[in-house]
Amino acid sequence: RGMGTSPTMPPHPALLVILSLLFLASFSVPLPRSPSPDCAAPPSGDLTPTARLHSLLDTSRVLVLAKSYCPYCRRAKAALKEAGVAATVVELDLEKDGADIQEAVKREFGFRTVPAVFVRGELLGGSVELIKALKEGTLVAV
């Protein structure tokens, strides 16, 4: 240490995650942003559950498939909100085809539990993996 210098603090991991997401977004086609982390999923229309899952994955930077009564889902949604990360949230228990969407996730990703957190179409995991990625600043490594 030299005279008059102070040690620097590393940036907060959540800030690194947000900056990394913004950096990655600058290299891709802009996707529609969710108005709030707790926004509802788009209407299913005539899409099959698998097609709806793919549509959600294609149009959501961060997608959380959750159930309204699940404490792990609440924890994941709160962690994203605290980190300032906008996410599309689909409460499967409140959706007509929610069980079928969850089955499609199991078929395609081998993941059955909620929350199921996806970043840019890739499965990150559940609440434990999400919170770990937020704390370590590795969310964009997915």
Side-chain angles (χ1 to χ4, degrees):
R1 279 189 197 163
M3 294 291 291
T5 62
S6 62
T8 59
M9 296 291 296
H12 190 276
L15 178 61
L16 292 175
V17 169
I18 293 167
L19 291 175
S20 298
L21 285 172
L22 290 172
F23 176 75
L24 285 177
S26 68
F27 292 105
S28 63
V29 175
L31 296 174
R33 295 201 58 113
S34 304
S36 74
D38 294 322
C39 69
S44 60
D46 294 330
L47 296 177
T48 66
T50 300
R52 184 162 179 224
L53 172 63
H54 285 281
S55 175
L56 287 164
L57 291 171
D58 291 343
T59 60
S60 305
R61 290 176 188 212
V62 178
L63 171 65
V64 180
L65 300 178
K67 294 194 176 172
S68 61
Y69 56 83
C70 171
Y72 299 103
C73 299
R74 284 194 295 270
R75 186 170 89 167
K77 291 182 286 185
L80 286 167
K81 186 173 186 175
E82 183 179 316
V85 177
T88 299
V89 177
V90 180
E91 301 288 359
L92 296 173
D93 60 314
L94 304 179
E95 297 290 324
K96 182 174 62 172
D97 58 350
D100 295 326
I101 292 172
Q102 189 170 6
E103 192 58 38
V105 171
K106 181 182 176 187
R107 264 193 322 274
E108 295 200 23
F109 295 93
F111 197 82
R112 176 76 178 138
T113 60
V114 291
V117 181
F118 297 85
V119 178
R120 294 191 146 328
E122 299 290 325
L123 177 66
L124 175 65
S127 64
V128 171
E129 292 82 8
L130 171 65
I131 291 169
K132 181 180 177 189
L134 287 170
K135 284 183 181 177
E136 294 177 353
T138 60
L139 184 64
V140 297
V142 176

